[in-house]
Amino acid sequence: CDDVVVVVLHVSANVVDQTRHEKEKHFLTADGKEESFPSLMDPPSLELSVVVPSYNEELRLPVMMDEAMEYLEKRQKKNPSFTYEVIVVDDGSKDKTTEVAMKYTKKYGAQKVRVLTLVKNRGKGGAVRMGTLSSRGRLILMADADGATKFADIEKVEEGLESISEKPDNMAISCGSRAHLEKESVAQRSLFRTFLMFGFHFLVWFFCVRGIKDTQCGFKLFTREAALKTFSSLHVERWAFDVELLFIAQCFDIPVVEVAVNWTEIEGSKLVPFWSWLQMGRDLVFIRLRYLTGAWRLEAERKTQ
């Protein structure tokens, strides 16, 4: 029976398609010329890359981008040595997400804003991975397109990263956290949704990641070295990908710190509660079992392009 389970886990273990469609290898400049994306394996040429996964976000993306660009531009004026880029990853949207994002390329230039349009929908984890693999920053921030976290809170996660005194091979991760808001959110949630939330937290703790209260906040800061190490082994491309990333980080003894950030629930969340919780719960069980049985393996630097 155990052998059958192992065989099933190996057979059903999906291999992430790391290859890019030809259209995903390029971005458009402000004047419409095609240029090639760099590789995460290249040395960094900027201080910060911000990766924004976006699926059908034509309405919410402008609010987030206006706030982010205002902050980043002000910071650069105060400190000209601070260099940055924002990579908006259109995850196979059916609306005008790419067109909306390109307005910012035209306004600020392709050195500051690049749009990566995926040929097909990969899921949030797949979109973040593709954007991260195309980034130039010494630090890489993952930030949601809904703007639920105040962008200026990047300073908090930066401080969290700096607080880690020992960074093996310069690897470290700082995670924004909403755990301090949990009591308030429980009071506003239905009993059923609260049950699902605590059930998910238990599965995360039991199967995968311990010591992190909020694995799902979409505001995480990586050193370039930590991003390469973790994203090179990532298998889950949908909602539970954060958990696998942190699981990989803990397996490699990459230090992870959790930092409280401001967070506001934004209308239009794509997380359909019941089925998404079930899908994430299933993914958590499979993450642990597939690594235990060897169906999935950790890789130092799997080929990522």
Side-chain angles (χ1 to χ4, degrees), residues 36-154:
S36 297
F37 278 108
S39 167
L40 186 61
M41 292 185 181
D42 299 335
S45 57
L46 299 174
E47 181 64 21
L48 175 70
S49 292
V50 181
V51 177
V52 186
S54 307
Y55 179 66
N56 293 343
E57 291 288 3
E58 65 177 2
L59 297 179
R60 298 194 299 181
L61 184 63
V63 179
M64 179 271 172
M65 285 294 290
D66 287 345
E67 181 189 356
M69 295 305 295
E70 182 182 1
Y71 170 86
L72 292 166
E73 286 291 285
K74 281 183 178 178
R75 182 163 168 176
Q76 190 172 66
K77 283 180 181 176
K78 286 182 181 178
N79 179 14
S81 65
F82 171 74
T83 52
Y84 74 89
E85 68 176 347
V86 178
I87 302 174
V88 178
V89 186
D90 180 346
D91 189 20
S93 297
K94 296 179 175 69
D95 67 358
K96 296 182 179 179
T97 295
T98 288
E99 289 90 330
V100 169
M102 278 302 300
K103 291 179 181 177
Y104 292 88
T105 298
K106 290 171 183 174
K107 181 176 180 180
Y108 295 98
Q111 283 302 307
K112 290 184 174 179
V113 181
R114 295 180 174 182
V115 182
L116 169 53
T117 303
L118 303 185
V119 172
K120 63 179 180 179
N121 176 263
R122 289 176 176 260
K124 184 180 176 182
V128 172
R129 180 173 56 79
M130 293 292 279
T132 300
L133 297 180
S134 307
S135 64
R136 296 174 288 161
R138 184 182 69 84
L139 300 178
I140 300 167
L141 176 72
M142 174 181 109
D144 285 345
D146 62 6
T149 302
K150 189 177 179 182
F151 194 83
D153 279 2
I154 185 177

Side-chain angles (χ1 to χ4, degrees), residues 258-272:
E258 197 170 12
V259 180
V261 294
N262 293 298
W263 187 83
T264 307
E265 189 155 352
I266 306 295
E267 284 187 26
S269 171
K270 298 177 184 63
L271 191 61
V272 180

Side-chain angles (χ1 to χ4, degrees), residues 40 132 138 140 161 168-174 221-233 245 248-249 252 254-256 300:
L40 186 61
T132 300
R138 184 182 69 84
I140 300 167
L161 209 60
D169 297 324
N170 199 40
M171 293 189 295
I173 302 171
S174 181
L221 185 66
F222 301 77
T223 62
R224 189 175 187 83
E225 294 79 3
L228 179 59
K229 195 83 166 177
T230 52
F231 281 96
S232 292
S233 287
L245 270 181
I248 293 167
F252 281 127
I254 298 172
V256 180

Side-chain angles (χ1 to χ4, degrees), residues 136-299:
R136 296 174 288 161
R138 184 182 69 84
L139 300 178
I140 300 167
L141 176 72
M142 174 181 109
D144 285 345
D146 62 6
T149 302
K150 189 177 179 182
F151 194 83
D153 279 2
I154 185 177
E155 294 174 15
K156 295 180 179 179
V157 289
E158 282 179 308
E159 288 169 6
L161 209 60
E162 290 168 9
S163 73
I164 300 172
S165 55
E166 293 188 18
K167 300 182 180 73
D169 297 324
N170 199 40
M171 293 189 295
I173 302 171
S174 181
C175 299
S177 174
R178 304 158 298 180
H180 60 296
L181 303 171
E182 196 166 277
K183 286 183 181 179
E184 180 183 335
S185 65
V186 165
Q188 295 174 353
R189 279 194 179 99
S190 68
L191 186 63
F192 182 61
R193 286 192 67 190
T194 299
F195 171 76
L196 289 175
M197 180 188 73
F198 281 117
F200 178 75
H201 288 340
F202 172 76
L203 288 175
V204 169
W205 175 85
F206 187 78
F207 284 107
C208 302
V209 177
R210 298 188 178 184
I212 303 295
K213 293 179 181 177
D214 182 8
T215 58
Q216 300 308 108
C217 181
F219 205 70
K220 292 181 175 68
L221 185 66
F222 301 77
T223 62
R224 189 175 187 83
E225 294 79 3
L228 179 59
K229 195 83 166 177
T230 52
F231 281 96
S232 292
S233 287
L234 186 69
H235 298 86
V236 176
E237 290 200 301
R238 298 204 175 268
W239 297 109
F241 83 97
D242 303 78
V243 178
E244 190 192 2
L245 270 181
L246 295 174
F247 174 76
I248 293 167
Q250 292 190 343
C251 287
F252 281 127
D253 293 321
I254 298 172
V256 180
V257 67
E258 197 170 12
V259 180
V261 294
N262 293 298
W263 187 83
T264 307
E265 189 155 352
I266 306 295
E267 284 187 26
S269 171
K270 298 177 184 63
L271 191 61
V272 180
F274 183 66
W275 294 112
S276 292
W277 285 112
L278 285 183
Q279 181 186 349
M280 287 194 292
R282 180 205 64 190
D283 286 346
L284 295 181
V285 174
F286 279 143
I287 286 169
R288 187 63 176 153
L289 291 179
R290 282 172 174 154
Y291 277 113
L292 279 174
T293 61
W296 286 351
R297 299 177 186 276
L298 294 168
E299 302 194 31

